[in-house]
């Protein structure tokens, strides 16, 4: 399926690894101009070198999305190098403070909300004029199954991602008549550095290896993931790419679950 985005320019955050990197790859292969951003310029350059060189044009600019000044500089660099963006994929995120509610202090809450909710707000604020200007635009937020099915050992993350869904839905009401469509994707347990770290920690606690940690996590903590394995980042990137595309021209304000059935309601 031709996604019809070969003349479009996309910014993908959290793109030196995981879901963000695979989304950048997917959009590049569609011929889009892609700007990737993440925390560290060195790791970002390595990630850029692993992306296809024979596809769309690629730029890589690092920015800490918790820093408004850095986000403003990012916006200037992107505009100067690639022009106004048509597509924003917000995939940067952290697991954040872990533990039961009484084990997490206010700083843990603040740090998690800062990255997982305020960074998306900051990015949209910095790029909204561009996204509205061309009469055609897409924003895709990477939320999580946790947004609607909170787990009690990571409540700051759950609350932040619930906020992201509210942000997506609210924004989808404001600018759709101008052609700017806003949607969210909610994955569950995807094989990326984020869940590698979670599973390595679990393996250490249980005195076992990563594979056993994954199997026990699936059976004990994610019983409704009926496909019975971690998802692959490509499986999320494909859905994001569709939502970024011309093919998704009547999809707005939706939350696509890519979770193997993990959320226990339809
Ligand atoms: P990932 O590979 O760790 O990607 C997240 C990226 O965000 C990392 O490259 C990280 O940079 C970057 N980042 C963190 N803080 C940042 C900041 N302040 N400024 C700029 N970039 C920052 O993990 P992933 O699984 O692909 O995660 C992508 C998104 O999917 C996240 O929003 C996550 O919450 C969501 N998600 C993932 C899963 C899953 O099972 N993997 C499930 C549901 C939702 P560093 O690596 O340099 O720290």
């Amino acid at each position: 399926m031709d996604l019809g985005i070969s003349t479009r320019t996309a910014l993908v955050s959290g793109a030196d690894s995981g879901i963000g990197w695979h989304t950048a790859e997917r959009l590049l292969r569609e011929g889009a101009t892609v700007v990737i951003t993440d925390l560290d310029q060195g790791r970002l350059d390595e990630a850029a070198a692993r992306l296809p060189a024979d596809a769309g044009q690629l730029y890589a600019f690092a920015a800490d999305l918790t820093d408004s000044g850095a986000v403003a500089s990012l916006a200037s660099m992107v505009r100067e190098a690639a022009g106004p963006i048509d597509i924003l994929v917000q995939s940067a995120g952290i697991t954040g403070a872990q533990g039961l509610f009484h084990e997490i202090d206010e700083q843990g809450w603040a740090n998690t909300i800062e990255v997982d909710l305020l960074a998306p707000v900051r990015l949209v604020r910095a790029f909204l004029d561009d996204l509205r200007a061309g009469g055609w635009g897409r924003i895709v937020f990477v939320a999580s199954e946790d947004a609607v099915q909170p787990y009690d050992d990571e409540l700051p993350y759950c609350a932040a991602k619930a906020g992201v869904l509210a942000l997506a839905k609210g924004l989808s009401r404001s600018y759709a008549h101008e052609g700017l469509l806003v949607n969210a994707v909610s994955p569950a347990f995807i094989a990326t550095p984020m869940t590698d770290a979670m599973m390595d920690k679990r393996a250490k606690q249980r005195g076992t290896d990563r594979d056993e940690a994954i199997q026990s996590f699936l059976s004990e903590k994610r019983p409704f993931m009926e496909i019975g394995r971690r998802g692959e980042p490509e499986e999320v990137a494909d859905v994001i790419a569709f939502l970024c595309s011309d093919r998704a021209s009547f999809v707005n304000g939706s939350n696509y679950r890519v979770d193997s059935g993990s959320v226990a309601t339809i």
Side-chain angles (χ1 to χ4, degrees):
M1 179 165 64
D2 175 7
L3 296 185
I5 52 172
S6 60
T7 61
R8 305 295 179 188
T9 298
L11 173 66
V12 184
S13 74
D16 78 9
S17 61
I19 294 167
W21 186 89
H22 283 275
T23 299
E25 187 199 34
R26 191 76 176 75
L27 298 180
L28 272 172
R29 289 198 189 286
E30 290 295 324
T33 295
V34 176
V35 185
I36 58 173
T37 187
D38 209 301
L39 271 176
D40 180 80
Q41 189 67 47
R43 282 202 299 275
L44 200 56
D45 290 341
E46 285 168 24
R50 286 183 279 113
L51 286 166
D54 56 345
Q57 252 189 310
L58 174 65
Y59 302 91
F61 299 122
D64 180 349
L65 301 183
T66 66
D67 177 345
S68 301
V71 174
S73 304
L74 173 69
S76 303
M77 288 187 287
V78 172
R79 264 178 220 125
E80 195 173 325
I85 62 166
D86 311 290
I87 297 167
L88 172 62
V89 178
Q90 181 354 76
S91 188
I94 56 171
T95 310
Q98 300 275 289
L100 293 177
F101 184 82
H102 67 272
E103 296 168 319
I104 298 176
D105 62 15
E106 193 171 325
Q107 195 57 49
W109 274 89
N111 292 344
T112 312
I113 300 281
E114 183 64 45
V115 179
D116 286 332
L117 180 55
L118 288 180
V121 169
R122 234 173 246 124
L123 261 192
V124 174
R125 284 174 54 79
F127 287 94
L128 184 62
D129 288 350
D130 295 9
L131 289 159
R132 291 176 69 186
W136 187 104
R138 301 283 187 267
I139 300 175
V140 180
F141 294 102
V142 183
S144 169
E145 59 157 343
D146 294 39
V148 297
Q149 181 164 270
Y151 298 101
D152 66 351
D153 57 353
E154 49 188 16
L155 283 178
Y157 180 82
C158 300
K161 292 296 189 180
V164 168
L165 286 192
L167 178 65
K169 191 69 188 177
L171 285 171
S172 77
R173 298 195 192 287
S174 304
Y175 310 110
H177 66 283
E178 299 175 4
L180 175 56
L181 308 184
V182 185
N183 293 287
V185 166
S186 286
F189 202 33
I190 306 300
T192 69
M194 181 179 271
T195 60
D196 285 350
M198 284 166 59
M199 290 304 105
D200 289 346
K201 185 174 163 198
R202 181 177 173 87
K204 201 169 168 197
Q205 283 164 349
R206 296 164 69 98
T208 179
D209 61 16
R210 189 190 284 176
D211 286 344
E212 192 287 328
I214 290 169
Q215 286 316 314
S216 65
F217 183 81
L218 281 168
S219 58
E220 292 168 21
K221 303 285 192 184
R222 296 293 185 272
F224 299 114
M225 286 190 69
E226 308 294 353
I227 300 174
R229 60 171 172 82
R230 276 202 297 181
E232 296 300 331
E234 297 91 320
E235 293 174 294
V236 186
D238 277 343
V239 178
I240 296 173
F242 164 70
L243 290 172
C244 291
S245 80
D246 222 22
R247 302 285 80 79
S249 51
F250 204 59
V251 184
N252 184 44
S254 71
N255 173 33
Y256 272 56
R257 292 175 183 164
V258 188
D259 71 357
S260 167
S262 187
V263 172
T265 60
I266 190 75

